[in-house]
Amino acid sequence: MKETDREAVATAVQRVAGMLQRPDQLDKVEQYRRREARKKASVEARLKAAIQSQLDGVRTGLSQLHNALNDVKGINTIESLKDVKDAVVRHSQLAAAVENLKNIFSVPEIVRETQDLIEQGALLQAHRKLMDLECSRDGLMYEQYRMDSGNTRDMSLINSYFGSTQGLSDELAKQLWMVLQRSLVTVRRDPTLLVSVVRIIEREEKIDRRILDRKKQTSFVPPGRPKNWKENMFKILDKTVITRIEGTQADTRESDKMWLVRHLEIIRKYVLDDLIVAKNLMVQCFPPHYEIFRNLLSMYHQALTIRMQELASEDLEANEIVSLLTWVLNTYTSTEMMGNVELAPEVDVSTLEPLLSPNVVSELLDTYMSTLTSNIIAWLRKALETDKKDWIKETEPEADQDGYYQTTLPAIVFQMFEQNLQVAAQISEDLKTKVLVLCLQQMNSFLSRYKDEAQLYKEEHLRNRQHPHCYVQYMIAIINNCQTFKESIVSLKRKYLKNEVEEGVSLSQPSMDGILDAIAKEGCSSLLEEVFLDLEQHLSELMTRKWLLGSNAVDIICVTVEDYFNDFAKIKKPYKKRMTAEAHRRVVVEYLRAVMQKRISFRSPEERKEGAERMVREAEQLRFLFRKLASGFGEDADGYCDTIIAVAEVIKLTDPSLLYLEVSTLVSKYPDIRDDHIGALLALRGDASRDMKQTIIETLEQGNTQVNPNYVPIFREIIVPSLNVAKLLK
């Protein structure tokens, strides 16, 4: 009330302010007051009259209710109205019967017509007649239910009379389901038929809703209701989708190794075509609230999920696992399928659930990696066995475009790796990296076997140097393969790794390089062994009396080495370069070994001079040969031949008093010279007394020779025959 009073005062103040805006209006204050008083009196009078009128009305109503109550109390019972009630019910039944009389008498005829229409495919007309039959039946049964809900006999009688109605309904439903099963074909050939089916289902849905609403009031539900044809329609479509997916497998593994690839490709094509048809045509035949495309998309996705899980549970081979995972993880969401522009924007691939769970994918990948490991081991073993068969052929190995001997082993191995990596890359980057690591790990093991087989090949040849016929050529090919393997490994990693620091991959390269270098080194050594086996006879002539008198041993050595190195020209540069340097070193070492063998002792200054000059000439001859062989390598290895010349200088010396100085100069150049080497060298001269030999050796032993850090030992491996220093001094 206080709030109302405040509002009234505010309104009054506003009205007064409006009346007294000018000074001359103050003279009319009394006039205004009387006018407002009259208005107030008038309003109060009207209010009183209205309240009085309301009170009179209430009084009259109460009086009438009181009289009615007295009248009701005056009636002793309503039993006298039972007859009236029964009459009303009978009248209602008769009215319903009269209303449906025509339909009741014509039921058999309508049933026949409806059956004919169904058979003719006139589904809309057939449904209209079916609705008339059901309406007559349901109307009579409802009136009977209202009259006597417990009278099952009469209800059964009505239902029996209309018994064919349910059969017609079922037959019509069959026809509808058949159309829906072929809906993707029907919508292209005869969309009107599909629209008719949908209209019939919509009619039935409306009838279902009306009957269910009435059930809440009367509890009456006619037979066969609700039909739920819309729900059944989606079940039929779902079953049709599942059947369509399952029916795409035309082959088995036994009949076609590519069965899974074909199966998945057919699924892809069918699903894409079906969804495009559904998006462009079927949506026009269904009411929007059916969301037919969204529902079909969900059905296809679910059916594919079930099918992919079934396939994943089978005992798949490695290539089949790859095909399945590639399809599931990549193809399904690509533009070739769900990501196709014709399905946009209704299909958003980012919202699609995975067809296979991460656990299943992980299990498949584990199985794939396990199978792939076994396969790679078997493939590598087979490749090596095949290559070994080539090693004993009577024909030379093939040469590459640069003329270097090679076998097909590196190409076969890395083609296999490449194929598996390409396949893995289709699935995921992670799998690609895992497969690369696997390939490199197995490559490590394979190279160890390769090394062992090359060693066995060499040993077998040494037992019979006539066999295999092309031993040198195939050993060259084995050496060259090492370089090819190195290059291929680097190329493979560059192509399939994003960066070189990926765990487990970069660490494998030094290990493999080491094995490959060891194989190549062993191969080069075995080839040089071939050379020196042929040189053995001629090397044994050096520093002998025959040599001094004019042997052509060094000429033969040079010709033999050059002949072998004509074949060695087929060795790739990195290894050929090292091999040439090693051959140079070994020839010089063998020459020096001949010096230390005490095969001859010069008898006179003339012989010493002749022998020393011959050594110098042969050193220059060897220098010329190895310069020729090393041309193009950009390195100078003349120092090896200088050693022979330095030794010759000691032999050539004519003044024995300077012998200590000459020997000490030799030792300073070649600090790995031992006492037995000096003793053998002095014995070769043949003119040094025992005391001189002893003095020179003892003095040199007391000296402190400074070793050049870049010096490469050459005398270290030269063993003087078991002839002690005491004997050499005699």
Side-chain angles (χ1 to χ4, degrees):
M1 291 296 290
K2 290 181 180 179
E3 183 67 27
T4 305
D5 291 344
R6 281 198 297 270
E7 290 180 359
V9 170
T11 303
V13 169
Q14 190 175 3
R15 284 178 60 82
V16 171
M19 294 176 185
L20 303 177
Q21 290 182 349
R22 300 189 304 275
D24 61 313
Q25 289 178 323
L26 292 174
D27 297 335
K28 300 179 181 179
V29 169
E30 186 61 28
Q31 180 183 344
Y32 292 153
R33 187 183 66 76
R34 288 195 299 270
R35 189 175 66 188
E36 292 301 320
R38 287 196 300 272
K39 285 183 180 179
K40 179 181 177 185
S42 175
V43 169
E44 288 176 349
R46 289 200 302 274
L47 184 59
K48 287 177 182 179
I51 292 172
Q52 185 63 45
S53 174
Q54 290 292 329
L55 289 173
D56 291 343
V58 170
R59 189 178 297 112
T60 302
L62 289 173
S63 175
Q64 290 175 347
L65 287 171
H66 182 70
N67 293 335
L69 179 61
N70 290 335
D71 291 342
V72 170
K73 288 179 179 178
I75 300 173
N76 294 325
T77 179
I78 61 171
E79 288 297 324
S80 58
L81 297 177
K82 185 176 184 302
D83 294 339
V84 177
K85 178 184 177 183
D86 292 342
V88 169
V89 171
R90 283 195 298 274
H91 175 76
S92 177
Q93 286 180 317
L94 290 171
V98 169
E99 184 178 348
N100 292 287
L101 192 61
K102 180 180 178 182
N103 289 339
I104 291 172
F105 283 119
S106 59
V107 164
E109 182 183 351
I110 296 174
V111 168
R112 285 193 301 273
E113 290 176 356
T114 305
Q115 185 66 49
D116 291 341
L117 289 170
I118 291 173
E119 291 174 358
Q120 294 167 13
L123 303 182
L124 275 177
Q125 296 91 319
H127 185 249
R128 172 57 63 188
K129 290 190 175 293
L130 177 63
M131 288 172 64
D132 292 341
L133 287 171
E134 289 179 338
C135 184
S136 298
R137 179 197 65 185
D138 297 348
L140 289 172
M141 293 184 79
Y142 176 63
E143 293 302 331
Q144 175 60 35
Y145 180 84
R146 280 208 310 165
M147 181 184 72
D148 185 2
S149 60
N151 188 347
T152 57
R153 177 178 170 278
D154 288 351
M155 293 288 278
S156 297
L157 182 63
I158 297 171
N159 194 31
S160 176
Y161 184 75
F162 286 89
S164 300
T165 304
Q166 186 60 45
L168 289 173
S169 178
D170 294 341
E171 185 62 29
L172 179 61
K174 264 187 202 176
Q175 297 300 315
L176 300 184
W177 307 152
M178 287 174 64
V179 173
L180 287 169
Q181 286 169 354
R182 300 192 301 269
S183 56
L184 289 165
V185 176
T186 304
V187 76
R188 283 180 278 197
R189 295 180 180 175
D190 187 6
T192 306
L193 179 58
L194 184 58
V195 171
S196 299
V197 169
V198 175
R199 286 179 61 189
I200 292 169
I201 292 171
E202 268 294 275
R203 287 177 186 172
E204 290 294 339
E205 284 294 300
K206 289 177 182 177
I207 296 171
D208 279 350
R209 288 195 294 271
R210 187 170 65 247
I211 287 173
L212 291 175
D213 289 342
R214 188 172 66 183
K215 177 187 175 184
K216 296 174 184 177
Q217 301 172 357
T218 65
S219 300
F220 172 73
V221 179
R225 291 288 179 183
K227 291 184 179 180
N228 294 321
W229 277 8
K230 180 181 176 183
E231 181 182 337
N232 288 338
M233 177 197 76
F234 282 114
K235 287 180 180 179
I236 292 296
L237 288 174
D238 189 42
K239 188 176 179 181
T240 302
V241 168
I242 292 173
T243 303
R244 184 157 174 77
I245 298 299
E246 290 177 348
T248 54
Q249 183 175 342
D251 302 298
T252 61
R253 184 182 297 128
E254 290 71 24
S255 62
D256 186 354
K257 289 293 183 183
M258 300 295 289
W259 69 276
L260 185 57
V261 174
R262 296 183 190 280
H263 180 38
L264 294 173
E265 175 56 20
I266 293 171
I267 288 177
R268 183 199 68 77
K269 188 176 185 306
Y270 280 13
V271 171
L272 178 60
D273 290 349
D274 290 356
L275 289 177
I276 290 174
V277 170
K279 175 178 177 287
N280 295 330
L281 301 178
M282 283 189 70
V283 292
Q284 301 175 27
C285 301
F286 288 79
H289 66 273
Y290 274 50
E291 295 185 306
I292 190 63
F293 182 75
R294 184 184 66 80
N295 280 296
L296 277 173
L297 177 63
S298 176
M299 291 173 194
Y300 273 99
H301 183 77
Q302 185 60 30
L304 288 172
T305 299
I306 294 170
R307 184 58 185 148
M308 295 305 117
Q309 289 172 346
E310 289 173 351
L311 291 171
S313 65
E314 294 187 17
D315 187 16
L316 297 176
E317 296 177 355
N319 62 315
E320 293 169 349
I321 292 175
V322 168
S323 297
L324 180 62
L325 289 178
T326 302
W327 197 93
V328 167
L329 300 178
N330 298 325
T331 303
Y332 184 60
T333 54
S334 71
T335 55
E336 295 179 353
M337 199 170 177
M338 291 304 191
N340 192 284
V341 66
E342 293 194 53
L343 296 180
E346 284 78 357
V347 178
D348 182 359
V349 294
S350 64
T351 63
L352 295 174
E353 291 294 323
L355 294 176
L356 292 175
S357 69
N359 287 340
V360 174
V361 172
S362 179
E363 289 174 6
L364 285 173
L365 288 175
D366 289 344
T367 303
Y368 172 71
M369 289 300 293
S370 175
T371 305
L372 183 61
T373 301
S374 301
N375 288 347
I376 287 178
I377 292 172
W379 290 331
L380 289 173
R381 185 178 292 114
K382 183 178 180 182
L384 183 52
E385 291 300 320
T386 303
D387 205 56
K388 282 168 56 183
K389 291 177 182 176
D390 290 344
W391 298 353
I392 58 175
K393 284 183 176 179
E394 296 291 320
T395 55
E396 293 183 357
E398 295 180 358
D400 65 11
Q401 58 186 6
D402 297 317
Y404 297 119
Y405 284 139
Q406 64 177 5
T407 69
T408 57
L409 183 63
I412 291 172
V413 169
F414 282 92
Q415 183 180 12
M416 176 188 66
F417 287 169
E418 184 87 21
Q419 288 172 351
N420 283 286
L421 284 164
Q422 287 175 357
V423 167
Q426 293 174 9
I427 298 176
S428 69
E429 285 293 318
D430 182 57
L431 180 63
K432 182 191 71 176
T433 303
K434 286 181 179 179
V435 170
L436 179 57
V437 171
L438 172 63
C439 290
L440 295 177
Q441 288 172 343
Q442 294 305 319
M443 186 68 187
N444 241 334
S445 303
F446 167 76
L447 290 177
S448 296
R449 292 196 299 273
Y450 191 48
K451 180 182 178 184
D452 294 341
E453 293 296 340
Q455 181 64 27
L456 290 173
Y457 183 54
K458 168 190 169 184
E459 293 171 1
E460 183 69 25
H461 171 71
L462 290 177
R463 282 193 283 271
N464 179 6
R465 291 189 64 208
Q466 302 304 314
H467 181 81
H469 179 70
C470 295
Y471 169 77
V472 171
Q473 290 82 356
Y474 277 98
M475 185 56 75
I476 290 172
I478 290 172
I479 294 168
N480 288 339
N481 285 350
C482 294
Q483 182 65 21
T484 305
F485 276 129
K486 274 188 177 184
E487 294 168 355
S488 299
I489 290 168
V490 171
S491 174
L492 202 67
K493 289 169 65 177
R494 187 183 297 118
K495 183 174 181 179
Y496 289 100
L497 280 184
K498 290 182 178 177
N499 54 68
E500 273 293 317
V501 297
E502 291 192 50
E503 185 178 356
V505 180
S506 59
L507 298 178
S508 63
Q509 184 70 27
S511 173
M512 284 188 285
D513 281 356
I515 297 173
L516 288 166
D517 284 341
I519 296 171
K521 185 177 180 181
E522 286 293 327
C524 290
S525 296
S526 67
L527 290 177
L528 287 178
E529 201 167 331
E530 281 289 296
V531 177
F532 283 91
L533 283 171
D534 285 352
L535 295 180
E536 195 172 282
Q537 175 187 349
H538 310 292
L539 288 169
S540 66
E541 287 186 14
L542 297 177
M543 308 310 295
T544 64
R545 185 63 55 182
K546 179 181 178 182
W547 168 79
L548 184 62
L549 295 175
S551 168
N552 62 348
V554 171
D555 294 335
I556 297 173
I557 289 171
C558 289
V559 170
T560 304
V561 169
E562 187 170 9
D563 184 54
Y564 266 103
F565 268 82
N566 285 334
D567 287 337
F568 297 165
K570 301 295 180 70
I571 299 176
K572 290 187 176 180
K573 259 191 177 180
Y575 301 123
K576 184 185 176 186
K577 178 180 177 181
R578 291 197 289 267
M579 192 172 175
T580 304
E582 177 61 16
H584 189 176
R585 190 191 69 82
R586 280 192 64 179
V587 167
V588 171
V589 166
E590 292 301 325
Y591 197 105
L592 293 173
R593 182 176 281 115
V595 171
M596 303 301 172
Q597 293 287 320
K598 198 177 179 296
R599 298 171 181 172
I600 186 174
S601 179
F602 296 118
R603 300 169 182 170
S604 64
E606 290 76 14
E607 282 191 357
R608 284 192 291 276
K609 180 182 178 184
E610 175 63 25
E613 289 176 350
R614 189 174 187 83
M615 289 174 67
V616 171
R617 287 197 304 274
E618 291 175 346
E620 293 299 338
Q621 192 175 351
L622 292 173
R623 190 199 306 273
F624 177 80
L625 169 66
F626 286 105
R627 277 181 177 175
K628 180 180 178 182
L629 296 180
S631 61
F633 295 150
E635 285 194 3
D636 182 16
D638 287 353
Y640 292 135
C641 292
D642 288 342
T643 310
I644 299 174
I645 295 173
V647 170
E649 290 299 321
V650 174
I651 296 171
K652 184 179 179 182
L653 187 68
T654 57
D655 186 355
S657 62
L658 299 176
L659 197 56
Y660 167 73
L661 184 61
E662 195 70 37
V663 171
S664 62
T665 302
L666 182 67
V667 172
S668 65
K669 283 185 180 180
Y670 307 101
D672 60 324
I673 290 183
R674 301 188 301 273
D675 294 350
D676 53 350
H677 294 144
I678 296 171
L681 186 56
L682 293 175
L684 178 64
R685 276 184 58 89
D687 64 341
S689 65
R690 179 178 179 183
D691 292 339
M692 183 184 294
K693 294 176 185 176
Q694 188 73 33
T695 302
I696 291 173
I697 292 174
E698 288 177 355
T699 306
L700 289 173
E701 285 178 348
Q702 294 171 5
N704 186 15
T705 306
Q706 296 292 327
V707 180
N708 185 338
N710 297 323
Y711 174 70
V712 179
I714 193 168
F715 287 92
R716 179 183 298 170
E717 61 186 279
I718 299 174
I719 299 174
V720 177
S722 55
L723 186 65
N724 60 37
V725 175
K727 288 183 179 179
L728 288 171
L729 294 175
K730 290 180 181 179

